[in-house]
mmCIF file of all heavy atoms in Angstrom:
data_model
loop_
_atom_site.group_PDB
_atom_site.id
_atom_site.type_symbol
_atom_site.label_atom_id
_atom_site.label_comp_id
_atom_site.label_asym_id
_atom_site.label_seq_id
_atom_site.Cartn_x
_atom_site.Cartn_y
_atom_site.Cartn_z
ATOM 1 N N GLY T 1 0.818 -1.201 0.000
ATOM 2 C CA GLY T 1 0.000 0.000 0.000
ATOM 3 C C GLY T 1 0.856 1.256 0.000
ATOM 4 O O GLY T 1 0.531 2.245 -0.676
ATOM 5 N N ILE T 2 1.962 1.213 0.744
ATOM 6 C CA ILE T 2 2.886 2.347 0.789
ATOM 7 C C ILE T 2 3.485 2.591 -0.592
ATOM 8 O O ILE T 2 3.577 3.728 -1.058
ATOM 9 C CB ILE T 2 3.998 2.081 1.829
ATOM 10 C CG1 ILE T 2 3.395 1.990 3.230
ATOM 11 C CG2 ILE T 2 5.071 3.170 1.772
ATOM 12 C CD1 ILE T 2 4.335 1.424 4.271
ATOM 13 N N LEU T 3 3.876 1.498 -1.243
ATOM 14 C CA LEU T 3 4.463 1.604 -2.582
ATOM 15 C C LEU T 3 3.443 2.122 -3.586
ATOM 16 O O LEU T 3 3.755 2.970 -4.429
ATOM 17 C CB LEU T 3 4.994 0.237 -3.022
ATOM 18 C CG LEU T 3 5.695 0.160 -4.379
ATOM 19 C CD1 LEU T 3 6.962 1.022 -4.392
ATOM 20 C CD2 LEU T 3 6.053 -1.302 -4.712
ATOM 21 N N GLU T 4 2.206 1.636 -3.489
ATOM 22 C CA GLU T 4 1.154 2.040 -4.428
ATOM 23 C C GLU T 4 0.834 3.535 -4.321
ATOM 24 O O GLU T 4 0.364 4.142 -5.290
ATOM 25 C CB GLU T 4 -0.100 1.208 -4.188
ATOM 26 C CG GLU T 4 0.038 -0.240 -4.657
ATOM 27 C CD GLU T 4 -1.065 -1.142 -4.128
ATOM 28 O OE1 GLU T 4 -1.999 -0.623 -3.465
ATOM 29 O OE2 GLU T 4 -0.995 -2.362 -4.364
ATOM 30 N N ASN T 5 1.084 4.109 -3.151
ATOM 31 C CA ASN T 5 0.859 5.544 -2.974
ATOM 32 C C ASN T 5 1.945 6.392 -3.642
ATOM 33 O O ASN T 5 1.779 7.604 -3.803
ATOM 34 C CB ASN T 5 0.793 5.904 -1.491
ATOM 35 C CG ASN T 5 -0.497 5.465 -0.843
ATOM 36 O OD1 ASN T 5 -1.534 5.335 -1.499
ATOM 37 N ND2 ASN T 5 -0.463 5.226 0.460
ATOM 38 N N GLN T 6 3.049 5.747 -4.032
ATOM 39 C CA GLN T 6 4.175 6.465 -4.620
ATOM 40 C C GLN T 6 4.305 6.262 -6.121
ATOM 41 O O GLN T 6 4.998 7.022 -6.794
ATOM 42 C CB GLN T 6 5.485 6.032 -3.947
ATOM 43 C CG GLN T 6 5.531 6.268 -2.450
ATOM 44 C CD GLN T 6 5.403 7.738 -2.082
ATOM 45 O OE1 GLN T 6 5.943 8.607 -2.767
ATOM 46 N NE2 GLN T 6 4.686 8.024 -1.009
ATOM 47 N N CYS T 7 3.667 5.211 -6.633
ATOM 48 C CA CYS T 7 3.842 4.895 -8.054
ATOM 49 C C CYS T 7 2.749 3.942 -8.519
ATOM 50 O O CYS T 7 1.889 3.547 -7.738
ATOM 51 C CB CYS T 7 5.218 4.251 -8.275
ATOM 52 S SG CYS T 7 5.361 2.612 -7.511
ATOM 53 N N THR T 8 2.814 3.587 -9.793
ATOM 54 C CA THR T 8 1.924 2.552 -10.326
ATOM 55 C C THR T 8 2.604 1.209 -10.128
ATOM 56 O O THR T 8 3.751 1.023 -10.546
ATOM 57 C CB THR T 8 1.651 2.773 -11.831
ATOM 58 O OG1 THR T 8 0.998 4.037 -11.999
ATOM 59 C CG2 THR T 8 0.767 1.665 -12.386
ATOM 60 N N VAL T 9 1.904 0.270 -9.481
ATOM 61 C CA VAL T 9 2.475 -1.055 -9.212
ATOM 62 C C VAL T 9 1.748 -2.087 -10.057
ATOM 63 O O VAL T 9 0.523 -2.145 -10.076
ATOM 64 C CB VAL T 9 2.367 -1.429 -7.723
ATOM 65 C CG1 VAL T 9 3.051 -2.780 -7.462
ATOM 66 C CG2 VAL T 9 2.993 -0.354 -6.846
ATOM 67 N N VAL T 10 2.522 -2.883 -10.773
ATOM 68 C CA VAL T 10 1.973 -3.960 -11.600
ATOM 69 C C VAL T 10 2.411 -5.284 -10.988
ATOM 70 O O VAL T 10 3.606 -5.527 -10.809
ATOM 71 C CB VAL T 10 2.471 -3.870 -13.054
ATOM 72 C CG1 VAL T 10 1.910 -5.018 -13.879
ATOM 73 C CG2 VAL T 10 2.077 -2.530 -13.658
ATOM 74 N N TYR T 11 1.436 -6.112 -10.639
ATOM 75 C CA TYR T 11 1.730 -7.411 -10.046
ATOM 76 C C TYR T 11 1.589 -8.481 -11.116
ATOM 77 O O TYR T 11 0.570 -8.543 -11.816
ATOM 78 C CB TYR T 11 0.762 -7.706 -8.897
ATOM 79 C CG TYR T 11 0.827 -6.690 -7.772
ATOM 80 C CD1 TYR T 11 -0.029 -5.591 -7.755
ATOM 81 C CD2 TYR T 11 1.746 -6.823 -6.737
ATOM 82 C CE1 TYR T 11 0.024 -4.651 -6.726
ATOM 83 C CE2 TYR T 11 1.814 -5.898 -5.706
ATOM 84 C CZ TYR T 11 0.953 -4.817 -5.709
ATOM 85 O OH TYR T 11 1.012 -3.885 -4.690
ATOM 86 N N PHE T 12 2.620 -9.316 -11.271
ATOM 87 C CA PHE T 12 2.566 -10.345 -12.302
ATOM 88 C C PHE T 12 3.333 -11.582 -11.831
ATOM 89 O O PHE T 12 4.323 -11.471 -11.114
ATOM 90 C CB PHE T 12 3.171 -9.839 -13.616
ATOM 91 C CG PHE T 12 4.666 -9.620 -13.518
ATOM 92 C CD1 PHE T 12 5.570 -10.581 -13.984
ATOM 93 C CD2 PHE T 12 5.174 -8.467 -12.932
ATOM 94 C CE1 PHE T 12 6.942 -10.377 -13.874
ATOM 95 C CE2 PHE T 12 6.543 -8.267 -12.812
ATOM 96 C CZ PHE T 12 7.424 -9.223 -13.289
ATOM 97 N N PRO T 13 2.864 -12.774 -12.226
ATOM 98 C CA PRO T 13 3.584 -13.997 -11.848
ATOM 99 C C PRO T 13 4.511 -14.474 -12.969
ATOM 100 O O PRO T 13 4.095 -14.554 -14.124
ATOM 101 C CB PRO T 13 2.454 -15.005 -11.626
ATOM 102 C CG PRO T 13 1.393 -14.579 -12.595
ATOM 103 C CD PRO T 13 1.527 -13.071 -12.759
ATOM 104 N N ILE T 14 5.747 -14.747 -12.627
ATOM 105 C CA ILE T 14 6.673 -15.372 -13.576
ATOM 106 C C ILE T 14 7.385 -16.485 -12.827
ATOM 107 O O ILE T 14 8.214 -16.233 -11.947
ATOM 108 C CB ILE T 14 7.714 -14.378 -14.129
ATOM 109 C CG1 ILE T 14 7.041 -13.226 -14.854
ATOM 110 C CG2 ILE T 14 8.678 -15.098 -15.077
ATOM 111 C CD1 ILE T 14 8.005 -12.218 -15.432
ATOM 112 N N GLU T 15 7.042 -17.708 -13.127
ATOM 113 C CA GLU T 15 7.658 -18.852 -12.464
ATOM 114 C C GLU T 15 9.102 -19.033 -12.935
ATOM 115 O O GLU T 15 9.453 -18.694 -14.064
ATOM 116 C CB GLU T 15 6.854 -20.129 -12.757
ATOM 117 C CG GLU T 15 5.413 -20.071 -12.256
ATOM 118 C CD GLU T 15 5.298 -19.986 -10.745
ATOM 119 O OE1 GLU T 15 6.246 -20.403 -10.059
ATOM 120 O OE2 GLU T 15 4.259 -19.504 -10.259
ATOM 121 N N ASP T 16 9.932 -19.566 -12.039
ATOM 122 C CA ASP T 16 11.340 -19.850 -12.352
ATOM 123 C C ASP T 16 12.080 -18.605 -12.854
ATOM 124 O O ASP T 16 12.911 -18.675 -13.748
ATOM 125 C CB ASP T 16 11.452 -20.972 -13.401
ATOM 126 C CG ASP T 16 10.842 -22.269 -12.909
ATOM 127 O OD1 ASP T 16 10.973 -22.543 -11.695
ATOM 128 O OD2 ASP T 16 10.250 -22.978 -13.715
ATOM 129 N N GLN T 17 11.759 -17.473 -12.294
ATOM 130 C CA GLN T 17 12.401 -16.214 -12.659
ATOM 131 C C GLN T 17 13.100 -15.662 -11.420
ATOM 132 O O GLN T 17 12.480 -15.478 -10.386
ATOM 133 C CB GLN T 17 11.344 -15.236 -13.173
ATOM 134 C CG GLN T 17 11.800 -13.799 -13.322
ATOM 135 C CD GLN T 17 12.918 -13.637 -14.332
ATOM 136 O OE1 GLN T 17 14.076 -13.591 -13.964
ATOM 137 N NE2 GLN T 17 12.555 -13.537 -15.601
ATOM 138 N N LYS T 18 14.404 -15.403 -11.537
ATOM 139 C CA LYS T 18 15.156 -14.907 -10.392
ATOM 140 C C LYS T 18 14.736 -13.497 -10.000
ATOM 141 O O LYS T 18 14.827 -13.116 -8.834
ATOM 142 C CB LYS T 18 16.659 -14.937 -10.707
ATOM 143 C CG LYS T 18 17.242 -16.332 -10.792
ATOM 144 C CD LYS T 18 18.749 -16.271 -11.019
ATOM 145 C CE LYS T 18 19.341 -17.675 -11.060
ATOM 146 N NZ LYS T 18 20.815 -17.649 -11.257
ATOM 147 N N ASN T 19 14.280 -12.721 -10.962
ATOM 148 C CA ASN T 19 13.924 -11.339 -10.702
ATOM 149 C C ASN T 19 12.656 -11.250 -9.851
ATOM 150 O O ASN T 19 11.590 -11.695 -10.243
ATOM 151 C CB ASN T 19 13.697 -10.616 -12.037
ATOM 152 C CG ASN T 19 13.749 -9.119 -11.890
ATOM 153 O OD1 ASN T 19 13.461 -8.576 -10.824
ATOM 154 N ND2 ASN T 19 14.121 -8.449 -12.956
ATOM 155 N N ARG T 20 12.793 -10.627 -8.666
ATOM 156 C CA ARG T 20 11.635 -10.464 -7.781
ATOM 157 C C ARG T 20 10.779 -9.265 -8.197
ATOM 158 O O ARG T 20 9.588 -9.210 -7.894
ATOM 159 C CB ARG T 20 12.102 -10.246 -6.337
ATOM 160 C CG ARG T 20 12.871 -11.408 -5.742
ATOM 161 C CD ARG T 20 13.451 -10.999 -4.409
ATOM 162 N NE ARG T 20 14.138 -12.095 -3.747
ATOM 163 C CZ ARG T 20 14.829 -11.963 -2.618
ATOM 164 N NH1 ARG T 20 14.933 -10.780 -2.049
ATOM 165 N NH2 ARG T 20 15.417 -13.008 -2.067
ATOM 166 N N GLY T 21 11.406 -8.307 -8.858
ATOM 167 C CA GLY T 21 10.691 -7.111 -9.267
ATOM 168 C C GLY T 21 11.667 -6.081 -9.809
ATOM 169 O O GLY T 21 12.879 -6.254 -9.702
ATOM 170 N N PHE T 22 11.147 -5.019 -10.397
ATOM 171 C CA PHE T 22 12.024 -3.972 -10.901
ATOM 172 C C PHE T 22 11.259 -2.666 -11.044
ATOM 173 O O PHE T 22 10.025 -2.632 -11.021
ATOM 174 C CB PHE T 22 12.668 -4.372 -12.238
ATOM 175 C CG PHE T 22 11.694 -4.743 -13.321
ATOM 176 C CD1 PHE T 22 11.214 -3.782 -14.205
ATOM 177 C CD2 PHE T 22 11.272 -6.064 -13.474
ATOM 178 C CE1 PHE T 22 10.323 -4.117 -15.207
ATOM 179 C CE2 PHE T 22 10.379 -6.411 -14.483
ATOM 180 C CZ PHE T 22 9.901 -5.441 -15.354
ATOM 181 N N HIS T 23 12.027 -1.591 -11.192
ATOM 182 C CA HIS T 23 11.469 -0.240 -11.273
ATOM 183 C C HIS T 23 11.859 0.391 -12.602
ATOM 184 O O HIS T 23 13.012 0.293 -13.019
ATOM 185 C CB HIS T 23 12.016 0.596 -10.104
ATOM 186 C CG HIS T 23 11.845 2.064 -10.278
ATOM 187 N ND1 HIS T 23 12.917 2.930 -10.361
ATOM 188 C CD2 HIS T 23 10.734 2.838 -10.388
ATOM 189 C CE1 HIS T 23 12.475 4.164 -10.503
ATOM 190 N NE2 HIS T 23 11.164 4.144 -10.528
ATOM 191 N N ILE T 24 10.920 1.019 -13.258
ATOM 192 C CA ILE T 24 11.217 1.746 -14.492
ATOM 193 C C ILE T 24 10.459 3.068 -14.482
ATOM 194 O O ILE T 24 9.532 3.266 -13.690
ATOM 195 C CB ILE T 24 10.831 0.951 -15.763
ATOM 196 C CG1 ILE T 24 9.320 0.702 -15.803
ATOM 197 C CG2 ILE T 24 11.602 -0.347 -15.866
ATOM 198 C CD1 ILE T 24 8.841 0.134 -17.117
ATOM 199 N N LYS T 25 10.882 3.965 -15.364
ATOM 200 C CA LYS T 25 10.168 5.225 -15.557
ATOM 201 C C LYS T 25 9.622 5.251 -16.971
ATOM 202 O O LYS T 25 10.306 4.855 -17.908
ATOM 203 C CB LYS T 25 11.098 6.413 -15.319
ATOM 204 C CG LYS T 25 11.451 6.642 -13.856
ATOM 205 C CD LYS T 25 12.345 7.858 -13.701
ATOM 206 C CE LYS T 25 12.640 8.158 -12.251
ATOM 207 N NZ LYS T 25 11.440 8.690 -11.546
ATOM 208 N N LYS T 26 8.371 5.703 -17.118
ATOM 209 C CA LYS T 26 7.750 5.811 -18.437
ATOM 210 C C LYS T 26 7.087 7.175 -18.567
ATOM 211 O O LYS T 26 6.629 7.753 -17.583
ATOM 212 C CB LYS T 26 6.680 4.719 -18.617
ATOM 213 C CG LYS T 26 7.222 3.325 -18.867
ATOM 214 C CD LYS T 26 6.081 2.366 -19.159
ATOM 215 C CE LYS T 26 6.596 0.976 -19.512
ATOM 216 N NZ LYS T 26 5.486 0.042 -19.828
#
């Protein structure tokens, strides 16, 4: 909730992926 107040958060499942998440600017 804290993060969502600061930016747009996209939740997605990717199995067998080392990346837990990432940040970009658009």
